[in-house]
Amino acid sequence: MKKLFAVLLALALMLSAVSAMADTLTIATSPDFPPFEYLDPAAGEAPVGIEIDILNLICEKLGMELQIEQMDFEAVLPGVKAGKFDLGVSGISVTDQRKKNALFTDPYCLAAQAIVVVEGSPITSKADLDGKKISVQTGTTAETFCMKNFYDVSPFAANADAELALVNGKVDAWVIDDLTAADMVKVYNAEHDVKLVILDDAMTTEPYAFAMAKGQEELQSKLNEALHELLDAGTIQEIFAKYEAPYTAPEAAE
Ligand code: ARG
């Protein structure tokens, strides 16, 4: 009898461990992408940002516990596809190519690729990029865009290294999403005499969303419901304002 009780107890413990696991939402993120996800020294280098705020609120709504896994951007989508993580949260642009390998939530904002150069550069618009050396982050839409245009592309696993390549004169321009460009350039310019400049030439229109493995339709609809509640309540817009980032609604693309 005692033995049976012990077995039952062990079973009950195992079951509760399994259900506790089911309540965790593990996200894959590359926290080198302010204001969406970056490491905050004031928070002990914990990841913070617009998307971390959004995910915290979504998890609150769904009664789930948020678990954050950090990695290079190029590892995010493959990891999600392989089922290692529940959700890719990394300023991910929805593209037809990516839709072949992943499920996406509805988009929650719009972004664009921007060109960053050093002040005084002869490059003043997209037309000047031909034949130029350009840094990008590996695996991003910036990389795809630059390759499609046959630019001389230098990919870097970390966003900060793509920026550094420009600063050190290893490349002529750096192509990166507009809001992150604005954030990183502002920080750089506050600390340096030679200034970086973002050219006024938005090259693409890219909706951001969160990515899941194929077959996760149930999670997708739960996330969409929570996301739309946040959008309808104006909460997403408020979060952008908190990070001083201009907000563009995804409908603007349609
Ligand atoms: N939006 C771009 C893309 O989807 C860049 C994302 C980079 N994200 C990051 N966390 N470093 O490819």
Side-chain angles (χ1 to χ4, degrees), residues 184-224:
M184 291 177 78
V185 164
K186 190 171 153 198
V187 169
Y188 181 86
N189 286 351
E191 294 167 352
H192 298 86
D193 292 336
V194 176
K195 306 293 181 202
L196 299 181
V197 182
I198 303 172
L199 300 182
D200 185 16
D201 199 353
M203 300 190 287
T204 57
T205 302
E206 307 189 7
Y208 283 0
F210 307 116
M212 286 144 286
K214 291 256 179 185
Q216 295 296 321
E217 280 78 8
E218 204 177 307
L219 178 63
Q220 182 190 37
S221 65
K222 281 203 287 189
L223 293 173
N224 275 339

Side-chain angles (χ1 to χ4, degrees), residues 170-186:
K170 299 228 158 53
V171 296
D172 306 300
W174 170 35
V175 172
I176 175 166
D177 302 45
D178 53 358
L179 292 186
T180 303
D183 204 300
M184 291 177 78
V185 164
K186 190 171 153 198

Side-chain angles (χ1 to χ4, degrees), residues 29-33 36-37 51 72-73 76-77 89-95 98 111 113 137 139-142 157 159 177 206 208:
T29 192
S30 172
D32 59 355
F33 202 65
F36 293 93
E37 44 266 327
E51 291 193 326
D72 286 339
F73 183 75
V76 171
L77 284 166
V89 175
S90 238
I92 303 174
S93 305
V94 183
T95 67
R98 287 175 177 171
Q113 293 303 319
Q137 185 173 29
T140 59
T141 43
N159 230 346
D177 302 45
E206 307 189 7
Y208 283 0

Side-chain angles (χ1 to χ4, degrees), residues 30 43 50 69 104 110 130 133 142 161 167 178 188 226 230 236 245:
S30 172
I50 291 173
E69 299 289 342
F104 284 92
L110 275 191
D130 279 330
K133 221 176 159 79
D161 290 336
V167 169
D178 53 358
Y188 181 86
L230 293 173
I236 304 266

